[in-house]
Amino acid sequence: MAKNDFRDFGTCERKVQDFLRGVKRFRLFAPNENKSPMVVALVDGRNFHGGFTDRIKGIVSLFHFCLVKNVDFRVLYNFPFELSDYLEPNEYNWLIDDKSVPSNFFRTSFVNLVGDASIDRLKELNVRKSVVAYANRDVTHLLNEFYGTSYTWGQLYHRLFKPSTKLQQEIDYHSNILGDDYVAVHFRFVGMFGDFNESPFVDISEQQKEHILRANIDFLDDMAKRFTDRKIFVASDSSFFIDNIKHIGNVYALSGDIQHIDNRMNANKEEAFMRLLLDFYLIAGSSRVYSVATDKMYRSELPMYAAKLYDIDFERIIL
């Protein structure tokens, strides 16, 4: 179990952990603090967060909760990059700086919802106090059922976020190359080929790696023959894999650094973050999304949630 990830603890144990962490985090008195309650979603590197998709799932779910409770919502996302450098407020201003995050012990609660796929603890929150929270699960469907709302994940995301000017320029550039009608295919290898700064998802032999590589290349070859009239955007966490499929005529993939955002990265950070957001938005801009994997590969949710942005068809294919 990852450090500070309490997903296997019971509800009472999690409440005790949250209280103790609140004691460490909050101050007894914060006289200049805004007295109006708010909920702040934290992505600050002081807790296990997971990847980009997990982080955004948690943020969107907390925003949904705040809408039904009519409570102010903010996001402090500064690990390992400032989210506002790439995504800006759209219809709702979620920005807050570190010094403005509620910290008065008597007026603030701390809750760690990482790994919690229920809404039980959300329903118990006293929103007459401010709340600072970690979260990384999508519970929008449960909130809709309980509170009688009908928000889609994409609707909530778009109320919060729009690409920064720099990111939008990159999206427009690559979208012009891809055209109005293209398909997106996503592959997640998690360090399998040794070109990604993350421990391998599974320990497999070189022979198995070669078999997996060939199976995915063959699949993409067949897809290229199927979609001869349009481009195929390929997103992957492996530069090695991308280098091995560039020969396929109508395949288009981004180049550049690839890293996992829950790691503390040093080199090419800005390039890696831009690449991540570009993959996400270019997948979302396609007419159909495929997520491809074998039984030894990680079944990423990034393409699934990119498809949710504009409610486009998503299919997971297991080779």
Side-chain angles (χ1 to χ4, degrees), residues 14-25 110:
R14 291 182 66 124
K15 288 180 178 179
V16 171
Q17 292 284 357
D18 289 349
F19 176 77
L20 293 176
R21 292 187 68 181
V23 169
K24 294 180 180 179
R25 178 182 289 269
F110 172 85

Side-chain angles (χ1 to χ4, degrees), residues 25 42 44 46 76 78 96-102:
R25 178 182 289 269
L42 298 175
D44 58 2
R46 297 172 63 180
L76 180 71
N78 57 17
I96 191 171
D97 59 64
D98 188 50
K99 294 180 179 179
S100 300
V101 174

Side-chain angles (χ1 to χ4, degrees), residues 256-304:
D257 195 30
I258 305 172
Q259 301 184 53
H260 193 280
I261 65 171
D262 209 41
N263 296 332
R264 295 183 181 274
M265 300 178 290
N266 297 313
N268 302 319
K269 289 195 294 185
E270 183 175 353
E271 180 182 345
F273 305 151
M274 184 64 75
R275 168 70 176 274
L276 170 67
L277 272 297
L278 264 175
D279 275 346
F280 187 68
Y281 272 95
L282 291 176
I283 292 171
S286 68
S287 57
R288 186 175 181 87
V289 179
Y290 298 89
S291 176
V292 182
T294 69
D295 61 343
K296 302 295 185 182
M297 291 168 60
Y298 185 79
R299 300 176 189 183
S300 173
E301 291 193 333
L302 184 143
M304 178 192 300

Side-chain angles (χ1 to χ4, degrees), residues 124-155:
E124 295 175 356
L125 283 181
N126 177 8
V127 293
R128 288 173 294 181
K129 298 173 64 176
S130 288
V131 177
V132 294
Y134 293 114
N136 70 350
R137 290 291 179 267
D138 176 14
V139 294
T140 55
H141 60 296
L142 297 175
L143 291 169
N144 277 330
E145 290 176 9
F146 186 78
Y147 290 107
T149 52
S150 58
Y151 294 113
T152 67
W153 194 87
Q155 287 173 336

Side-chain angles (χ1 to χ4, degrees), residues 21-220:
R21 292 187 68 181
V23 169
K24 294 180 180 179
R25 178 182 289 269
F26 302 140
R27 296 173 291 171
L28 287 179
F29 301 101
N32 297 323
E33 190 168 289
N34 187 346
K35 294 182 180 180
S36 299
M38 66 174 64
V39 174
V40 181
L42 298 175
V43 182
D44 58 2
R46 297 172 63 180
N47 194 78
F48 172 80
H49 299 296
F52 173 74
T53 309
D54 285 339
R55 299 171 184 211
I56 296 298
K57 286 191 297 185
I59 289 169
V60 168
S61 292
L62 287 173
F63 177 54
H64 187 174
F65 174 75
C66 289
L67 288 179
V68 297
K69 290 293 186 179
N70 195 28
V71 178
D72 192 18
F73 177 69
R74 293 288 185 267
V75 180
L76 180 71
Y77 190 131
N78 57 17
F79 175 81
F81 60 92
E82 290 285 348
L83 183 64
S84 57
D85 289 343
Y86 304 90
L87 296 178
E88 300 174 353
N90 191 16
E91 300 174 9
Y92 191 99
N93 182 17
W94 45 266
L95 292 173
I96 191 171
D97 59 64
D98 188 50
K99 294 180 179 179
S100 300
V101 174
S103 60
N104 185 298
F105 181 83
F106 300 105
R107 297 203 299 264
T108 311
S109 299
F110 172 85
V111 60
N112 181 11
L113 300 170
V114 167
D116 191 345
S118 76
I119 60 171
D120 294 342
R121 300 183 69 214
L122 278 176
K123 291 187 295 186
E124 295 175 356
L125 283 181
N126 177 8
V127 293
R128 288 173 294 181
K129 298 173 64 176
S130 288
V131 177
V132 294
Y134 293 114
N136 70 350
R137 290 291 179 267
D138 176 14
V139 294
T140 55
H141 60 296
L142 297 175
L143 291 169
N144 277 330
E145 290 176 9
F146 186 78
Y147 290 107
T149 52
S150 58
Y151 294 113
T152 67
W153 194 87
Q155 287 173 336
L156 294 166
Y157 179 96
H158 287 300
R159 288 189 66 173
L160 285 173
F161 303 118
K162 66 178 180 180
S164 67
T165 300
K166 184 175 182 179
L167 174 58
Q168 188 62 58
Q169 289 172 345
E170 292 291 326
I171 294 169
D172 292 343
Y173 172 81
H174 294 285
S175 295
N176 287 335
I177 296 173
L178 286 164
D180 295 331
D181 184 15
Y182 62 94
V183 296
V185 191
H186 185 269
F187 303 84
R188 181 91 155 92
F189 295 100
V190 193
M192 184 181 293
F193 301 127
D195 59 347
F196 186 51
N197 186 25
E198 189 176 0
S199 300
F201 180 63
V202 289
D203 186 15
I204 61 176
S205 68
E206 292 301 317
Q207 184 177 6
Q208 287 176 303
K209 291 178 185 178
E210 178 60 31
H211 174 76
I212 291 170
L213 176 64
R214 178 45 52 192
N216 283 281
I217 293 175
D218 287 346
F219 172 85
L220 206 49

